[in-house]
Amino acid sequence: MAQQHVNETRQARIDPAWVNWAIGRIEADYARSADTHLLPVSLPALPGIALYLKDESSHPTGSLKHRLARSLFLHALCSGWIGPETTIVEASSGSTAVSEAYFARMLGLSFVAVVPASTTCEKISAIETHGGVCHKVDDPKTIYDVAALIAAEQGGHWMDQFTFAERATDWRGNNNIAESIFAQMRREPHPVPTWIVCGAGTGGTSATMGRYVRYFRHPTQICVADPKASVFHRHWHDRTVRLAPEGASLVEGIGRPTVEPSFVPTVIDRMEVVEDEVSIAAARVISRHLGRAVGGSTGTNLVACARLAMSMAANGQNGSIVSILCDSGERYASTIFDDRWLEAKGLNIRSGEERFEHFIALGIFED
């Protein structure tokens, strides 16, 4: 209700000429940007299965959330919620805020990110580099209320990615990530993926993927890789479950303690639950194989890919699996790539690294 009130009181100050200019600025930025790469991952022991990573770290703001931030700004501009004096506010664990800060600065708007106090210093620095201001909260569950309050106090607009992610993106096309993947797969041996694997933070990416494959009648199935501490996999199995009983995941950007409005379970075919230690181990192993660091959520995705590949191989099924390289591991240099941080968290990833190395080299993954 607070969000609706803030938007309604601001509508009289919207300047149509400025909105036209702002949309043009965002479209010009998009025209200057190349599509992200689709990287093949060699699995020599599984010749019938092709694995690819959609490298979203190559966006100007370094993550998958660049697409979301652009869509959220366009959605808000076209809805009459943003004007030339509007302060933009977002509740975010980091990457969405980095991308929104980029677009806010492009339009000359102030930006405030409400982030959990545990957010990595690298992400905080990236938000501030793009001109944003970070408001840290000790309890991650309060970021929504705090963001709404700040927006109301400043006469601003709370972007509310967790509500609008699944509706701000045009899932039928317009260069969303699903359309990009299918276009890039056209000349591959198995051009229509058997599986697309993604995580869920807002739920917007899985919603876009699931709706797109249904709209174009592809046989592709959607798998969501979810941290053990997240509520999403619980809600997918039992719609009455809306809160996770455990603590927060150590994998930033995916998994939530509460079911978000943008999470659409009915477009998901399978959920894979992944423990944090295994996610981090997989992220570190694939980083060595790619020659550059990737974030923990990419590791979560790859564990699900390994399980799907094993299942396909056991059933004598050939095909392709496409997943997402969500962001660069440089944002986690002080956490998942720091052995002292792992030790402080009581995490032992040696076994997980060995198991994922076996998958890459031998095509065997044992949970």
Side-chain angles (χ1 to χ4, degrees):
M1 185 63 66
Q3 174 74 50
Q4 182 180 0
H5 172 71
V6 170
N7 290 337
E8 288 178 349
T9 59
R10 192 173 52 251
Q11 285 179 355
R13 303 199 301 271
I14 300 302
D15 178 359
W18 182 87
V19 171
N20 289 341
W21 170 85
I23 293 172
R25 287 280 289 167
I26 293 174
E27 291 298 306
D29 178 77
Y30 168 69
R32 292 191 299 269
S33 303
D35 199 357
T36 59
H37 299 292
L38 191 64
L39 307 176
V41 178
S42 177
L43 300 175
L46 299 172
I49 299 172
L51 175 60
Y52 304 85
L53 289 175
K54 179 70 165 161
D55 182 11
E56 295 293 283
S57 72
S58 59
H59 283 296
T61 55
S63 82
L64 169 67
K65 299 300 185 179
H66 191 84
R67 294 180 189 270
L68 173 59
R70 182 171 58 216
S71 294
L72 287 169
F73 267 88
L74 290 172
H75 181 261
L77 285 164
C78 292
S79 298
W81 296 340
I82 297 178
E85 305 297 328
T86 304
T87 295
I88 306 300
V89 184
E90 184 59 284
S92 170
S93 63
S95 287
T96 301
V98 174
S99 299
E100 288 185 6
Y102 169 89
F103 285 104
R105 184 171 67 171
M106 179 188 300
L107 303 182
L109 304 175
S110 299
F111 178 76
V112 178
V114 180
V115 301
S118 59
T119 302
T120 66
C121 59
E122 292 86 357
K123 286 184 179 178
I124 297 295
S125 177
I127 294 167
E128 294 174 345
T129 296
H130 289 300
V133 174
C134 293
H135 183 100
K136 297 180 182 179
V137 297
D138 292 325
D139 183 358
K141 294 180 182 178
T142 67
I143 60 174
Y144 315 104
D145 292 338
V146 173
L149 179 62
I150 291 174
E153 289 176 344
Q154 300 192 19
H157 173 64
W158 173 28
M159 280 294 202
D160 194 5
Q161 59 168 322
F162 296 105
T163 294
F164 292 105
E166 58 89 11
R167 65 195 72 172
T169 300
D170 184 355
W171 47 267
R172 287 166 291 247
N174 194 22
N175 195 44
N176 66 48
I177 189 171
E179 182 181 52
S180 178
I181 286 171
F182 277 87
Q184 291 176 318
M185 286 290 292
R186 283 176 186 157
R187 297 183 183 276
E188 298 303 310
H190 305 285
V192 177
T194 304
W195 288 97
I196 292 178
V197 178
C198 62
T202 62
T205 300
S206 58
T208 297
M209 297 287 196
R211 288 166 171 164
Y212 183 90
V213 299
R214 290 186 180 185
Y215 183 69
F216 287 97
R217 301 183 298 281
H218 293 303
T220 304
Q221 292 184 285
I222 306 301
C223 173
V224 168
D226 205 32
K228 184 179 179 181
S230 173
V231 71
F232 288 144
H233 63 86
R234 296 174 169 86
H235 181 70
W236 185 76
H237 286 288
D238 181 353
R239 300 294 196 270
T240 66
V241 178
R242 304 196 65 85
L243 293 172
E246 303 175 30
S249 171
L250 295 174
V251 179
E252 289 188 28
I254 58 172
R256 302 294 302 167
T258 60
V259 178
E260 307 295 351
S262 276
F263 182 65
V264 184
T266 50
V267 302
I268 297 166
D269 299 290
R270 179 166 172 165
M271 298 283 295
E272 285 292 333
V273 182
V274 184
E275 295 184 351
D276 288 349
E277 288 184 347
V278 186
S279 293
I280 295 169
R284 289 173 64 132
V285 169
I286 199 65
S287 294
R288 293 195 289 268
H289 281 268
L290 294 176
R292 56 192 177 89
V294 306
S297 57
T298 302
T300 308
N301 289 341
L302 283 166
V303 173
C305 290
R307 292 172 180 166
L308 292 171
M310 293 297 297
S311 177
M312 290 171 63
N315 293 325
Q317 183 181 10
N318 295 335
S320 57
I321 302 172
V322 178
S323 192
I324 302 172
L325 195 166
C326 306
D327 59 4
S328 170
E330 293 177 359
R331 291 183 173 176
Y332 310 95
S334 63
T335 56
I336 69 171
F337 288 97
D338 185 337
D339 291 341
R340 293 169 298 180
W341 182 87
L342 294 177
E343 183 178 357
K345 296 295 183 181
L347 299 175
N348 183 352
I349 64 171
R350 185 180 301 276
S351 174
E353 287 186 306
E354 291 176 351
R355 282 149 52 200
F356 205 76
E357 288 282 7
H358 286 165
F359 170 68
I360 296 293
L362 305 175
I364 300 171
F365 185 78
E366 297 177 355
D367 273 313

